[in-house]
Amino acid sequence: MPRVNSLPGVPRWAALAAHAVPWVVLPSSLWRVALVLRLPVSDYGPGFGESLYVLALSAVSEGLALLTLGLVRPWGEVVPRWIPLIGGRPVRPLAAVVPAALGAVALAVIWAYAFRSVGGGLDSGTGPGGMGSPAQDAFLVLCYAPLLLWAPLLMAVTVAYYHRRTVRPSAGEQPPGLPQGRQERLRARYR
């Protein structure tokens, strides 16, 4: 079983899901980089400005995917010290949950619409899907299909984070997350 780094109290499935998100975004990012490098992934060749946009989209997508790790790592509970003004302060749960949940909903809408459009374009030979030969189109779909997992993985990790950070334990139950002494040491480290 692979070892994943996460805080104590984070369910293993949530840690695995959080670590999976950057990997499900990576194939589409690499496809876009291959497009810019004029590798034979498409018959379409973007211009200079469009190439910059495509590279920026890949970098931003991967950066946003990596933010999912904050829901299972220490920097999702205490702001790292190096961040000006707020470094060392605890992260309020809703400050992470609201953007993550809104992001998951937005991703679900975006990718559902995009795949509906691409599917229509591949069938008719027009639209966003018809970018090259049938093999190139199949490779495009293969690289972009994992993005359909981004929204459900992000939402599942967000729900686990919210539950871990806000639900109070019953009498005699150990609270989720870091033990109190470890939480204080973590805060001191980021101050």
Side-chain angles (χ1 to χ4, degrees), residues 163-177:
H163 180 74
R164 183 171 53 83
R165 296 286 313 272
T166 61
V167 173
R168 301 286 176 230
S170 313
E173 231 180 74
Q174 176 69 14

Side-chain angles (χ1 to χ4, degrees), residues 31 35 39-45 118 121-142:
W31 185 91
L35 179 70
L39 297 176
V41 295
S42 173
D43 292 340
Y44 179 74
V118 167
L122 288 175
D123 291 342
S124 66
T126 62
M131 293 187 72
S133 70
Q136 289 170 325
D137 287 343
F139 186 64
L140 168 75
V141 171
L142 182 69

Side-chain angles (χ1 to χ4, degrees), residues 8-43:
V10 172
R12 181 161 176 75
W13 67 264
L16 288 170
H19 283 79
V21 169
W23 292 104
V24 302
V25 176
L26 188 61
S28 61
S29 295
L30 292 176
W31 185 91
R32 288 189 296 268
V33 169
L35 179 70
V36 168
L37 294 175
R38 311 265 178 173
L39 297 176
V41 295
S42 173
D43 292 340

Side-chain angles (χ1 to χ4, degrees), residues 93-107:
L94 289 180
V97 169
V98 170
L102 290 174
V105 169
L107 287 167

Side-chain angles (χ1 to χ4, degrees), residues 13 33 61 71 74 78-79 81 83 86 103 108-110 124 136 150 167 172 181:
W13 67 264
V33 169
S61 296
L71 300 172
V78 179
V79 179
R81 243 182 39 211
I83 296 180
I86 60 171
V109 170
I110 290 167
S124 66
Q136 289 170 325
W150 191 359
V167 173

